[in-house]
Structures are given as structure tokens and as C-alpha cells.
Amino acid sequence: MTLCKTSTAAAALMALALPALADGELNLYSSRHYDTDERLYSDFTEATGITINRIEGKADELLARMEAEGANSPADVLLTADTSRLKRAKDMDLLQAVESDTLEERIPGNLQDDDNQWFGLSQRARIIFYNKETMDNPPATYMDLADPAYKGQVCIRSSTNTYNQTLLASIVTHEGEEAATDWAQGVVDNMARAPQGGDTDQLRGIVSGECDIAVSNSYYFARAIRTDVDGVSADIGKIGLIWPDQEGNGTHMNLSGGGVAKNAPNRENAVKFLEYLASDQAQVYFSAGNDEFPTVEGVELADSVKQLGEFKADEVNLSDVAENIGTAQKIFNSVGWE
């Protein structure tokens, strides 16, 4: 899918028909920590009569819990970010295949598991940001981040961060392990500081002058446009952004997604919930509520997301990328990326 459009044609799309009132319940295990998601849950319950029981926590804790619960797990649906954790859930045998014409038709093939065990529901672009006051020639590609010309200028998160793991895994997929290792070593050599903090902290590093270049997901910057983010919004005019690899593979996208739990006691309701999250109504809210990109093509973007501009997204199959996440972690360890 190419995310170079901020289509206004969404209104012309026929909204996905919501399930008839079904009653019953759904046990949702979610590591999405956004208060705005409340609207997704309440709208689903209003449309279907299905009550959602939520268990929220960090992704790794939820995976461990589901594994420990085994066949007795009450989990019906797992929601988490990003591809690395969705793959981990599959590898831990915590998910099951779903046959759904709705999901197959609405979610692009490269954004879902080849075995139909997980589906991407929203996207975030991994963007290069830079200090417009100090940079005349910012990096145009991910590979440029390893250019010695940028030594001591790059702020980026740790190797344990799932967004970085998936980014490096995508480089392995496109360029091979040797080139990916050279890249990771080059980025380490160019770091302005030891990796620290979250994506917003990388943007703050530009504002503070600690770094000239930073890597962050798109929705952290869009949020700073829409709301007052401490240490970013007041000086946001200082920060420029680059859509990486526009002359090549396109900008890397990572996912928030979900799947039906292997031992789901309410399997039918679980499938209905995933299908609802792929509806126009829910897809619009992923963007409006949390500044993300929808996975369904043609859905209207929030104003804060539109302001980021148009770009070409990498359309690599994320199931293929997921297969290289273990290699990516090995590379991180070998180059000393903390």
C-alpha cells in the first residue's frame, strides 16, 4: 500500500456493515495504552451488544500471561505493537488462524500474517527528523544515518525498542545481513549520546540541541502538532522531517495489530471485533484519536497526520520482515548498540 494520499474520498466508500446485535462478551488483552481507544471499545459494544472485558499491560507481560494460562486462558483477542511482538505471539503458539473475507479484503496483504494469525490495524512511519537551524544537508535515507558525515549527531532509541528491531529487520530483508550490520555499526558510531528514552525524547534532543538528527515514529510528532507536548510543541518549528528512501524502497512502516487467541472462549465475537477494527469507522478513529495511519486504503486522515505531508511507504511484506527480527537482534548485540 502506498501512503502518498490523504484521500477525501473516504466518505464515498461504503462503510463496513457492523455485525447484528449479538450480545455476549469479549476478553481483550491489550498493550495499547491510549485513553483515546476507549471510543473504539464503546462503539463496538453499542453496535453489537458485546461487552468488552479488558486486561491491559505491557506487551511482554501479556504474552507471558497468556503462555502461563495455556488452554485455560480467557483471552479472546490480543492487541499489541509492533510486528516483532505479533511474530513473538505467533511463535509462542498463542494465536490461531482466522478465515475472514472482511479482513482479507480490507487489510493489505503485506500488512497481515501469511498464515492469517495476525492483522495490522494501524500504522506508524519511522521518520528521520533534523534541526532546521543547524542542518543544511540532512540524511535522505536510513542508510545515510550511518554516513561518517553525521558523526556525533544522531539520537535514536535502544536496541531493545521494538520499532528499531523491526526497522533493522526490514534493512536485513532489503539489503542483506552484511549491509545491515555495517549500517548498525555506522549508526552506533554516529550517536550523539547513548540510547535513552522514548521517541518523544529523541525529538526533545533536537529542541535541546543535544542532537541534530533523530529517528522517531510519525505519531509522536503529529501528536505534538495536535496537542501540547512538553519540550517539543513550543519549538516544533525548529524540527524538520524527512520521509526516508523516497527514491528507493519507501519509508518503513510499523504496525499496531491484533489476532485471535489460540484458546479464545468467545471466538466468534473475537473475529467480529477484529473485523470492526478494520471498518471505516474504526480506521478513521485510529488516525483521529491517536495520530496513526490507517491500514485500510482510502480512509480519511486526521488533520495532524495530513500536515506531515505525502510520501511513499515501503510495501515490503511484514511477515518476511518478521522472520528477520532474530537476526536484527543478533546484529544489535554484535555492534554494541545498547
Side-chain angles (χ1 to χ4, degrees), residues 190-236:
N190 286 346
M191 288 181 182
R193 64 186 183 192
Q196 58 185 264
D199 275 22
T200 302
D201 294 305
Q202 314 314 310
L203 299 174
R204 290 187 179 116
I206 291 178
V207 172
S208 69
E210 191 170 3
C211 47
D212 294 311
I213 302 164
V215 179
S216 175
N217 274 358
S218 53
Y219 73 125
Y220 293 97
F221 188 73
R223 184 181 301 160
I225 294 174
R226 179 174 56 86
T227 65
D228 184 17
V229 174
D230 184 51
V232 179
S233 297
D235 295 291
I236 202 165

Short mmCIF file of all heavy atoms in Angstrom, two decimals, residues 190-236:
data_model
loop_
_atom_site.label_atom_id
_atom_site.label_comp_id
_atom_site.label_asym_id
_atom_site.label_seq_id
_atom_site.Cartn_x
_atom_site.Cartn_y
_atom_site.Cartn_z
N ASN A 190 27.81 7.09 15.00
CA ASN A 190 27.32 8.45 14.80
C ASN A 190 26.43 8.97 15.93
O ASN A 190 25.95 10.10 15.87
CB ASN A 190 26.53 8.53 13.48
CG ASN A 190 27.42 8.50 12.26
OD1 ASN A 190 28.63 8.66 12.36
ND2 ASN A 190 26.81 8.28 11.10
N MET A 191 26.23 8.15 16.95
CA MET A 191 25.32 8.56 18.02
C MET A 191 25.84 9.77 18.78
O MET A 191 27.03 9.86 19.12
CB MET A 191 25.09 7.40 18.99
CG MET A 191 24.22 6.29 18.43
SD MET A 191 23.94 4.97 19.64
CE MET A 191 22.97 3.82 18.66
N ALA A 192 24.92 10.69 19.06
CA ALA A 192 25.26 11.88 19.84
C ALA A 192 25.31 11.57 21.33
O ALA A 192 25.94 12.29 22.11
CB ALA A 192 24.22 12.97 19.59
N ARG A 193 24.64 10.49 21.73
CA ARG A 193 24.59 10.07 23.13
C ARG A 193 24.21 8.61 23.16
O ARG A 193 23.73 8.05 22.16
CB ARG A 193 23.54 10.90 23.89
CG ARG A 193 22.12 10.68 23.38
CD ARG A 193 21.11 11.59 24.03
NE ARG A 193 19.76 11.28 23.54
CZ ARG A 193 18.70 12.05 23.75
NH1 ARG A 193 18.83 13.18 24.42
NH2 ARG A 193 17.51 11.69 23.28
N ALA A 194 24.40 7.97 24.29
CA ALA A 194 23.93 6.59 24.44
C ALA A 194 22.41 6.57 24.31
O ALA A 194 21.73 7.51 24.75
CB ALA A 194 24.36 6.05 25.80
N PRO A 195 21.87 5.53 23.70
CA PRO A 195 20.41 5.48 23.54
C PRO A 195 19.69 5.63 24.88
O PRO A 195 20.06 5.01 25.87
CB PRO A 195 20.18 4.08 22.95
CG PRO A 195 21.45 3.76 22.24
CD PRO A 195 22.53 4.36 23.09
N GLN A 196 18.66 6.45 24.88
CA GLN A 196 17.89 6.69 26.10
C GLN A 196 16.52 7.22 25.75
O GLN A 196 16.32 7.86 24.72
CB GLN A 196 18.61 7.70 26.99
CG GLN A 196 18.86 9.04 26.33
CD GLN A 196 19.68 9.98 27.18
OE1 GLN A 196 19.15 10.83 27.88
NE2 GLN A 196 21.00 9.80 27.13
N GLY A 197 15.54 6.92 26.61
CA GLY A 197 14.21 7.48 26.48
C GLY A 197 13.39 6.89 25.35
O GLY A 197 13.80 5.95 24.67
N GLY A 198 12.21 7.49 25.18
CA GLY A 198 11.30 7.07 24.14
C GLY A 198 11.42 7.93 22.90
O GLY A 198 12.32 8.77 22.78
N ASP A 199 10.48 7.76 21.97
CA ASP A 199 10.55 8.51 20.72
C ASP A 199 10.42 10.01 20.94
O ASP A 199 11.09 10.80 20.28
CB ASP A 199 9.45 8.02 19.76
CG ASP A 199 9.88 6.80 18.96
OD1 ASP A 199 10.81 6.10 19.42
OD2 ASP A 199 9.30 6.54 17.90
N THR A 200 9.55 10.42 21.85
CA THR A 200 9.41 11.85 22.13
C THR A 200 10.71 12.44 22.65
O THR A 200 11.06 13.59 22.34
CB THR A 200 8.27 12.09 23.14
OG1 THR A 200 7.05 11.55 22.62
CG2 THR A 200 8.07 13.58 23.38
N ASP A 201 11.47 11.65 23.41
CA ASP A 201 12.74 12.14 23.94
C ASP A 201 13.76 12.37 22.83
O ASP A 201 14.65 13.23 22.97
CB ASP A 201 13.30 11.14 24.96
CG ASP A 201 12.43 11.05 26.21
OD1 ASP A 201 12.17 12.10 26.81
OD2 ASP A 201 11.99 9.94 26.53
N GLN A 202 13.64 11.64 21.74
CA GLN A 202 14.55 11.88 20.61
C GLN A 202 14.23 13.24 19.98
O GLN A 202 15.15 14.00 19.62
CB GLN A 202 14.43 10.77 19.57
CG GLN A 202 14.43 9.34 20.13
CD GLN A 202 15.50 9.07 21.17
OE1 GLN A 202 16.68 9.37 20.98
NE2 GLN A 202 15.08 8.49 22.29
N LEU A 203 12.95 13.57 19.88
CA LEU A 203 12.55 14.88 19.37
C LEU A 203 12.99 15.99 20.31
O LEU A 203 13.44 17.05 19.87
CB LEU A 203 11.04 14.93 19.16
CG LEU A 203 10.45 13.92 18.16
CD1 LEU A 203 8.93 13.98 18.17
CD2 LEU A 203 10.99 14.17 16.76
N ARG A 204 12.87 15.75 21.60
CA ARG A 204 13.33 16.74 22.58
C ARG A 204 14.82 16.98 22.45
O ARG A 204 15.30 18.09 22.72
CB ARG A 204 12.99 16.27 23.99
CG ARG A 204 11.50 16.27 24.33
CD ARG A 204 11.26 15.96 25.78
NE ARG A 204 9.84 16.00 26.11
CZ ARG A 204 9.12 14.95 26.52
NH1 ARG A 204 9.70 13.76 26.66
NH2 ARG A 204 7.83 15.09 26.78
N GLY A 205 15.56 15.95 22.05
CA GLY A 205 17.00 16.10 21.88
C GLY A 205 17.35 17.11 20.79
O GLY A 205 18.36 17.81 20.89
N ILE A 206 16.51 17.18 19.76
CA ILE A 206 16.73 18.18 18.71
C ILE A 206 16.46 19.57 19.26
O ILE A 206 17.24 20.51 19.06
CB ILE A 206 15.82 17.90 17.50
CG1 ILE A 206 16.29 16.62 16.79
CG2 ILE A 206 15.84 19.07 16.53
CD1 ILE A 206 15.42 16.22 15.60
N VAL A 207 15.36 19.73 20.00
CA VAL A 207 15.00 21.04 20.55
C VAL A 207 16.07 21.53 21.52
O VAL A 207 16.44 22.71 21.52
CB VAL A 207 13.63 20.96 21.26
CG1 VAL A 207 13.34 22.26 22.01
CG2 VAL A 207 12.52 20.68 20.24
N SER A 208 16.60 20.62 22.33
CA SER A 208 17.60 21.00 23.33
C SER A 208 18.98 21.24 22.73
O SER A 208 19.86 21.81 23.38
CB SER A 208 17.70 19.92 24.41
OG SER A 208 18.29 18.73 23.88
N GLY A 209 19.19 20.79 21.49
CA GLY A 209 20.48 20.94 20.85
C GLY A 209 21.44 19.80 21.12
O GLY A 209 22.60 19.84 20.69
N GLU A 210 20.95 18.75 21.78
CA GLU A 210 21.81 17.62 22.09
C GLU A 210 22.11 16.80 20.84
O GLU A 210 23.14 16.13 20.77
CB GLU A 210 21.16 16.74 23.17
CG GLU A 210 22.09 15.69 23.75
CD GLU A 210 21.51 15.02 24.98
OE1 GLU A 210 20.36 15.32 25.35
OE2 GLU A 210 22.22 14.18 25.58
N CYS A 211 21.20 16.83 19.90
CA CYS A 211 21.43 16.11 18.64
C CYS A 211 20.85 16.91 17.48
O CYS A 211 19.91 17.69 17.67
CB CYS A 211 20.82 14.71 18.70
SG CYS A 211 19.13 14.64 19.33
N ASP A 212 21.40 16.70 16.32
CA ASP A 212 20.93 17.37 15.11
C ASP A 212 19.97 16.50 14.31
O ASP A 212 19.21 17.00 13.48
CB ASP A 212 22.11 17.76 14.22
CG ASP A 212 23.00 18.81 14.86
OD1 ASP A 212 22.46 19.83 15.34
OD2 ASP A 212 24.22 18.61 14.89
N ILE A 213 20.04 15.20 14.55
CA ILE A 213 19.24 14.23 13.80
C ILE A 213 18.60 13.28 14.81
O ILE A 213 19.23 12.88 15.79
CB ILE A 213 20.13 13.42 12.83
CG1 ILE A 213 20.84 14.35 11.85
CG2 ILE A 213 19.31 12.37 12.08
CD1 ILE A 213 22.01 13.69 11.14
N ALA A 214 17.35 12.90 14.56
CA ALA A 214 16.67 11.95 15.45
C ALA A 214 15.77 11.04 14.62
O ALA A 214 15.31 11.41 13.53
CB ALA A 214 15.85 12.67 16.50
N VAL A 215 15.53 9.86 15.13
CA VAL A 215 14.62 8.91 14.49
C VAL A 215 13.44 8.68 15.44
O VAL A 215 13.63 8.39 16.62
CB VAL A 215 15.32 7.58 14.18
CG1 VAL A 215 14.34 6.59 13.54
CG2 VAL A 215 16.52 7.80 13.27
N SER A 216 12.24 8.84 14.93
CA SER A 216 11.04 8.71 15.76
C SER A 216 9.87 8.28 14.89
O SER A 216 9.86 8.51 13.68
CB SER A 216 10.73 10.05 16.45
OG SER A 216 9.52 9.99 17.17
N ASN A 217 8.88 7.66 15.51
CA ASN A 217 7.67 7.33 14.79
C ASN A 217 6.84 8.58 14.53
O ASN A 217 6.82 9.52 15.33
CB ASN A 217 6.83 6.32 15.58
CG ASN A 217 7.23 4.90 15.31
OD1 ASN A 217 8.12 4.62 14.50
ND2 ASN A 217 6.60 3.95 16.00
N SER A 218 6.10 8.55 13.43
CA SER A 218 5.36 9.71 12.96
C SER A 218 4.34 10.22 13.97
O SER A 218 4.14 11.43 14.10
CB SER A 218 4.64 9.35 11.66
OG SER A 218 3.84 8.18 11.81
N TYR A 219 3.68 9.31 14.71
CA TYR A 219 2.57 9.77 15.53
C TYR A 219 3.02 10.55 16.75
O TYR A 219 2.25 11.34 17.30
CB TYR A 219 1.63 8.63 15.89
CG TYR A 219 2.09 7.62 16.90
CD1 TYR A 219 1.33 7.35 18.03
CD2 TYR A 219 3.25 6.87 16.72
CE1 TYR A 219 1.70 6.39 18.95
CE2 TYR A 219 3.63 5.91 17.61
CZ TYR A 219 2.86 5.66 18.74
OH TYR A 219 3.26 4.69 19.64
N TYR A 220 4.26 10.43 17.15
CA TYR A 220 4.76 11.26 18.25
C TYR A 220 4.89 12.72 17.82
O TYR A 220 4.60 13.64 18.59
CB TYR A 220 6.12 10.73 18.73
CG TYR A 220 6.04 9.38 19.39
CD1 TYR A 220 6.31 8.22 18.68
CD2 TYR A 220 5.68 9.26 20.74
CE1 TYR A 220 6.24 6.98 19.28
CE2 TYR A 220 5.60 8.02 21.35
CZ TYR A 220 5.88 6.88 20.61
OH TYR A 220 5.80 5.64 21.21
N PHE A 221 5.31 12.93 16.59
CA PHE A 221 5.43 14.29 16.06
C PHE A 221 4.06 14.86 15.76
O PHE A 221 3.78 16.03 16.07
CB PHE A 221 6.30 14.27 14.80
CG PHE A 221 6.66 15.64 14.29
CD1 PHE A 221 7.59 16.43 14.94
CD2 PHE A 221 6.06 16.14 13.14
CE1 PHE A 221 7.93 17.68 14.46
CE2 PHE A 221 6.39 17.39 12.64
CZ PHE A 221 7.33 18.17 13.32
N ALA A 222 3.19 14.06 15.16
CA ALA A 222 1.83 14.52 14.86
C ALA A 222 1.10 14.90 16.14
O ALA A 222 0.32 15.87 16.18
CB ALA A 222 1.06 13.45 14.10
N ARG A 223 1.32 14.15 17.19
CA ARG A 223 0.70 14.47 18.48
C ARG A 223 1.16 15.82 18.99
O ARG A 223 0.39 16.58 19.58
CB ARG A 223 1.03 13.38 19.50
CG ARG A 223 0.37 13.54 20.85
CD ARG A 223 0.77 12.42 21.78
NE ARG A 223 0.40 11.12 21.22
CZ ARG A 223 0.95 9.97 21.61
NH1 ARG A 223 1.92 9.96 22.50
NH2 ARG A 223 0.54 8.84 21.07
N ALA A 224 2.44 16.13 18.76
CA ALA A 224 2.97 17.43 19.19
C ALA A 224 2.40 18.57 18.36
O ALA A 224 2.40 19.73 18.80
CB ALA A 224 4.49 17.42 19.11
N ILE A 225 1.91 18.28 17.17
CA ILE A 225 1.20 19.27 16.36
C ILE A 225 -0.20 19.48 16.93
O ILE A 225 -0.68 20.62 17.05
CB ILE A 225 1.11 18.81 14.89
CG1 ILE A 225 2.49 18.76 14.25
CG2 ILE A 225 0.16 19.72 14.09
CD1 ILE A 225 2.49 18.18 12.84
N ARG A 226 -0.86 18.40 17.30
CA ARG A 226 -2.27 18.45 17.73
C ARG A 226 -2.44 18.91 19.16
O ARG A 226 -3.41 19.60 19.50
CB ARG A 226 -2.90 17.06 17.54
CG ARG A 226 -4.35 16.95 17.97
CD ARG A 226 -4.93 15.59 17.62
NE ARG A 226 -4.17 14.49 18.19
CZ ARG A 226 -4.34 14.00 19.41
NH1 ARG A 226 -5.25 14.52 20.22
NH2 ARG A 226 -3.62 12.97 19.84
N THR A 227 -1.51 18.52 20.05
CA THR A 227 -1.63 18.84 21.46
C THR A 227 -0.31 19.45 21.95
O THR A 227 0.67 19.52 21.22
CB THR A 227 -1.94 17.58 22.29
OG1 THR A 227 -0.83 16.67 22.22
CG2 THR A 227 -3.19 16.88 21.78
N ASP A 228 -0.30 19.88 23.19
CA ASP A 228 0.90 20.48 23.76
C ASP A 228 1.77 19.38 24.38
O ASP A 228 1.45 18.86 25.45
CB ASP A 228 0.51 21.52 24.82
CG ASP A 228 1.73 22.25 25.38
OD1 ASP A 228 2.81 22.19 24.75
OD2 ASP A 228 1.62 22.84 26.47
N VAL A 229 2.85 19.03 23.72
CA VAL A 229 3.80 18.03 24.22
C VAL A 229 4.99 18.78 24.80
O VAL A 229 5.68 19.52 24.09
CB VAL A 229 4.24 17.07 23.09
CG1 VAL A 229 5.33 16.13 23.60
CG2 VAL A 229 3.05 16.28 22.57
N ASP A 230 5.23 18.58 26.06
CA ASP A 230 6.30 19.30 26.76
C ASP A 230 7.65 19.06 26.08
O ASP A 230 8.03 17.92 25.79
CB ASP A 230 6.36 18.83 28.22
CG ASP A 230 7.39 19.60 29.03
OD1 ASP A 230 7.37 20.83 29.01
OD2 ASP A 230 8.23 18.93 29.68
N GLY A 231 8.37 20.14 25.84
CA GLY A 231 9.70 20.04 25.27
C GLY A 231 9.75 19.87 23.77
O GLY A 231 10.84 19.78 23.20
N VAL A 232 8.58 19.84 23.12
CA VAL A 232 8.54 19.68 21.67
C VAL A 232 7.66 20.75 21.02
O VAL A 232 8.10 21.50 20.15
CB VAL A 232 8.04 18.28 21.26
CG1 VAL A 232 8.00 18.15 19.74
CG2 VAL A 232 8.91 17.20 21.85
N SER A 233 6.40 20.83 21.43
CA SER A 233 5.42 21.66 20.72
C SER A 233 5.82 23.12 20.63
O SER A 233 5.65 23.76 19.57
CB SER A 233 4.05 21.53 21.40
OG SER A 233 3.57 20.20 21.32
N ALA A 234 6.35 23.68 21.71
CA ALA A 234 6.67 25.11 21.72
C ALA A 234 7.74 25.47 20.69
O ALA A 234 7.78 26.61 20.20
CB ALA A 234 7.12 25.53 23.12
N ASP A 235 8.60 24.51 20.36
CA ASP A 235 9.69 24.76 19.40
C ASP A 235 9.59 23.85 18.19
O ASP A 235 10.60 23.54 17.55
CB ASP A 235 11.04 24.55 20.10
CG ASP A 235 11.29 25.56 21.19
OD1 ASP A 235 11.49 26.74 20.86
OD2 ASP A 235 11.28 25.18 22.37
N ILE A 236 8.38 23.45 17.85
CA ILE A 236 8.23 22.46 16.78
C ILE A 236 8.69 23.01 15.43
O ILE A 236 9.08 22.25 14.54
CB ILE A 236 6.77 21.96 16.72
CG1 ILE A 236 6.72 20.59 16.03
CG2 ILE A 236 5.86 22.98 16.06
CD1 ILE A 236 5.43 19.84 16.22
#
